[in-house]
């Protein structure tokens, strides 16, 4: 299971930290990804991290503003979001895929959390 939390309402330029708590699988063997879906748009990959080697991926739209990290002792992945923009408004989902290689291909992911809403006001 994956439990996403930390969403909320923030002004443009502000920050939020999302958390994704995992249970029921071997955390170290999985890649955890963050995805988002804005109203009327397709779900897109934002960032992911490999819990086996620490490699990361960021979408161009969030590079330099978002930071993904993992606490393997707590089975939790975090997404620190700085310099938020109105276009970052979306429901953010975390997901897990078995294996060491980072990917944001949605169809590859095995488990999905319930989503947490991030709203950035201008």
């Amino acid at each position: 299971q994956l439990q996403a939390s930390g969403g909320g309402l923030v002004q443009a330029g502000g920050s939020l930290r999302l958390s994704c708590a995992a249970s029921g699988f071997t955390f170290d063997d999985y890649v955890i990804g963050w995805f988002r879906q804005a109203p009327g748009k397709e779900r897109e990959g934002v960032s992911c991290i490999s819990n086996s080697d620490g490699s990361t991926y960021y979408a161009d739209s969030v590079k330099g503003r978002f930071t993904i990290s993992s606490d393997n002792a707590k089975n939790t992945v975090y997404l620190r979001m700085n310099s938020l923009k109105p276009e970052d408004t979306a429901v953010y989902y975390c997901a897990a895929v078995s294996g060491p290689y980072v990917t944001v291909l949605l169809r590859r992911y095995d488990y999905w959390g319930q989503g947490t809403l991030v709203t950035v006001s201008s």
Side-chain angles (χ1 to χ4, degrees):
Q1 290 185 347
L2 295 169
Q3 183 75 29
S5 61
L9 173 64
V10 64
Q11 288 188 335
S15 298
L16 283 174
R17 189 182 77 161
L18 305 183
S19 299
C20 177
S23 62
F25 57 88
T26 305
F27 189 73
D28 292 0
D29 293 341
Y30 278 72
V31 169
I32 305 296
W34 283 99
F35 299 80
R36 66 186 181 186
Q37 188 165 18
K41 295 188 176 181
E42 293 186 352
R43 194 170 298 189
E44 63 175 356
V46 174
S47 181
C48 60
I49 185 167
S50 169
N51 286 323
S52 63
D53 66 8
S55 56
T56 59
Y57 164 86
Y58 296 94
D60 287 343
S61 58
V62 306
K63 276 181 184 176
R65 300 189 298 122
F66 291 10
T67 302
I68 193 168
S69 61
S70 182
D71 186 337
N72 288 39
K74 295 183 178 180
N75 284 7
T76 301
V77 168
Y78 304 97
L79 185 68
R80 178 68 179 181
M81 306 186 296
N82 295 329
S83 303
L84 283 162
K85 305 174 181 179
E87 51 263 43
D88 293 317
T89 294
V91 176
Y92 283 70
Y93 301 88
C94 62
V97 57
S98 176
Y101 303 113
V102 292
T103 177
V104 289
L105 291 176
L106 274 71
R107 64 179 182 272
R108 293 207 51 209
Y109 277 76
D110 302 310
Y111 307 113
W112 288 84
Q114 82 290 1
T116 185
L117 177 63
V118 172
T119 304
V120 185
S121 63
S122 57

